[in-house]
Structures are given as C-alpha cells and as structure tokens.
Amino acid sequence: MVRGRPDCPRCHGKGLVFDPDPQKPVFVCGCTADLAPDAETLGLPARYREADFTRFWKWWNNAQASGVRALLDRVPDLEDLLARPAEEVGELEGREDLVKLLQALRKRPEHGIRPAGADGLAQWATSGKHRFRHGWELWWIHGPAQSGRSTLAAAALRAWTERTGRSGSFISVRTLSQTIKDAYYDVRSFQNQAFQSVRDLIEPLQEQPLLVLDDWDRMDTDIRVAAALAQLLDHRYSEELPTILTASYPPEAMDRRENHPLVRLEDASLFERLRGAERVEMVPALRPWIDRIERC
C-alpha cells in the first residue's frame, strides 16, 4: 500500500497524484520517499510493532531497577582498574570501550545499566554513526529468552528505516527454516502451495536494505537449510548490506556445537565474519566489566 505524508499538498496523504483528466496516468507522489515503511511492511510480528528505543529503554530500566545501585557502587573499582599501571594489570582488552562507558555514565548513569553494546546499536540506527571494526555492518544481539533481544532488534529496524527512508525486513529464522524445508518436502507437507523454490524464498531477502534474522540459533538442523542461510549471509556480506542477527548465545558458541548445521558446512569464512560482528549482550553494560574484576 502506498502512503503519503498527511500534510502533503499534492496527494493529501494518499501517496498518489490523480490528474483531473481520467485519461492521464496516476503518479506516485514524491513525498512517499520521505516515509519509512510501516510496521506491517517491515514484517514485524504484532508483539514488536510498537517497539522503539524510547519504550525499550523504559522497559529495560524498570526490569533492572533492583540491581542498579549495586552496579553503580562498583564504578570506583573500574576507575581504579584503569588507573593502575599496565605492568600490574597486564594488557586490558577493551580499555577504550571501558573509558567511553565510564565517560558516558558520568553524564547519564543509565548508560551503565543499558545492555552492553546497545548504545552503539542505537547510535548507528538513529544517526548512522558507528565505526565497524570489521567493515561489514553486522550486529549480533544475544541473551536468554525474554531478555528483550528481539524487541531491541525491532526498535533498531524501525529507527534505521525512519532515518534512511529505506525498507527492511524482520524475519523469524525458525519460520524461514520450515518454509525452506517445505520447498524440499512439498509432497509430504503440502505446505508449499505456491510451489516456491528455495531461490524464490532467499532472493528477496538478499537485497533487503536492512535485514533482521531473529532467533538465528533456532535454525533447522537440515544442512540444506543451513546452506541456504549461509548463502544469504554471503550475498549480504558481498553487497555490504546491513544485517542484524539475534540468538541466545554469542557466535563463538556455535564452534562448540558439533551437530550445528553451520559447523557441518565447514565454512570458516562465514564463522570468521560472524565472530567479527558488533555485539550487544542483554546484560547491563557494567556487568561484564565487574565480572572481570571479580575473576582477577
């Protein structure tokens, strides 16, 4: 469905310009280029259609309220860690990230409570400002069930499309896996009534300006499903198209799963790209640093 800006003087919000002469063609109004796709067009499930960063931060802060004081009380320990000589603490991996985090929470303490890496995701989605260490705009959001990872991905998708005016798509990997299997087993399942091939299913996703692949870890174990999804990521990597994946675990955990279908593909390049993704972990940003102190 074509939509226009409600205040547009040419189409009055219809998105189409009709000539008084019925013999002349109807044109799509230029104001439609300024509008991001709506939630339904993006493929957002009903549960996530109202997702945005403002609502997410509010929900997250409420969920973390009971542990906020205990986390903030440990900030002096982290400042002391930075102040100690290198020969005493050794090379501190991620030092720059810790410095930036402490600077941010001095201005607004909630930055220390937000999910680790989520501020970077929000800045990228809303302003396009983020330095990707490995070139490809790939995000990996991980955390346990009900941690908010899918909601955060949906918020990023909406913010990105609103900023750029381009489209995107939110895809359940579990549903996509079953649809791919139906393309192979149509005789048995009778689900593929449109007689779509795997190519028909994957090609539209390859060119999406932004693609969210939700619940990546719920991919079917059929190796042909894995091959199709690997091909999808290979194409998006080659075309440098931004992609967001959500899962319950970090990408390194796949290496330890012998029966994981991607492991059986033996695609080292794919694993290297996934390990190089920008991370968002659904725990307060201060928590991983405090855990490191306690392990020392």
Side-chain angles (χ1 to χ4, degrees), residues 28-167:
V28 176
C29 185
C31 75
T32 60
D34 299 328
L35 287 174
D38 59 24
E40 186 175 356
T41 304
L42 295 173
L44 289 171
R47 185 181 185 88
Y48 308 122
R49 285 185 183 171
E50 300 301 318
D52 60 31
F53 283 117
T54 300
R55 290 185 178 91
F56 179 81
W57 300 142
K58 183 176 180 180
W59 170 82
W60 179 265
N61 289 340
N62 288 338
Q64 304 297 323
S66 61
V68 168
R69 178 45 51 194
L71 286 172
L72 294 179
D73 284 346
R74 299 298 302 274
V75 169
D77 295 334
L78 295 175
E79 293 173 332
D80 177 66
L81 178 65
L82 289 175
R84 289 159 64 184
E87 57 270 19
E88 182 179 337
V89 298
E91 183 178 352
L92 184 60
E93 184 179 353
R95 172 183 285 270
E96 290 185 10
D97 294 334
L98 177 57
V99 170
K100 291 178 182 178
L101 174 60
L102 293 178
Q103 289 173 343
L105 68 84
R106 288 189 194 104
K107 298 176 182 177
R108 299 181 65 181
E110 61 263 34
H111 287 294
I113 310 304
R114 289 178 177 176
D119 277 337
L121 175 66
Q123 187 176 36
W124 167 78
T126 57
S127 68
K129 296 178 180 179
H130 187 80
R131 183 174 62 86
F132 288 85
R133 288 167 290 184
H134 298 274
W136 184 22
E137 294 183 44
L138 176 65
W139 292 91
W140 184 290
I141 304 174
H142 66 98
Q146 306 299 316
S147 62
R149 60 180 191 249
S150 299
T151 306
L152 182 60
L157 174 62
R158 292 193 62 171
W160 189 90
T161 56
E162 288 170 4
R163 173 176 64 83
T164 64
R166 304 174 70 194
S167 64

Side-chain angles (χ1 to χ4, degrees), residues 184-286:
Y184 286 116
Y185 301 119
D186 179 60
V187 174
R188 257 189 271 173
S189 69
F190 297 102
Q191 296 299 311
N192 185 20
Q193 296 180 6
F195 298 101
Q196 290 180 300
S197 67
V198 174
R199 181 176 180 178
D200 294 331
L201 297 169
I202 295 298
E203 278 194 346
L205 304 180
Q206 288 180 338
E207 305 300 337
Q208 281 290 338
L210 175 59
L211 181 63
V212 175
L213 293 169
D214 189 42
D215 289 335
W216 179 256
D217 51 329
R218 301 184 77 174
M219 178 191 311
D220 192 88
T221 56
D222 191 314
I223 196 167
R224 290 174 294 186
V225 172
L229 293 175
Q231 177 187 349
L232 172 60
L233 289 189
D234 281 346
H235 180 88
R236 296 187 65 80
Y237 168 77
S238 298
E239 297 300 318
E240 298 183 332
L241 291 169
T243 307
I244 300 173
L245 286 76
T246 76
S248 60
Y249 49 69
E252 292 82 6
M254 287 191 298
D255 296 3
R256 300 189 292 271
R257 295 172 177 240
E258 295 182 1
N259 293 323
H260 193 287
L262 287 181
V263 173
R264 302 201 324 262
L265 286 179
E266 298 182 350
D267 188 340
S269 296
L270 176 59
F271 274 90
E272 189 64 26
R273 291 170 199 152
L274 294 177
R275 285 192 290 265
E278 299 296 298
R279 312 292 182 87
V280 178
E281 185 178 2
M282 303 306 292
V283 297
L286 285 169

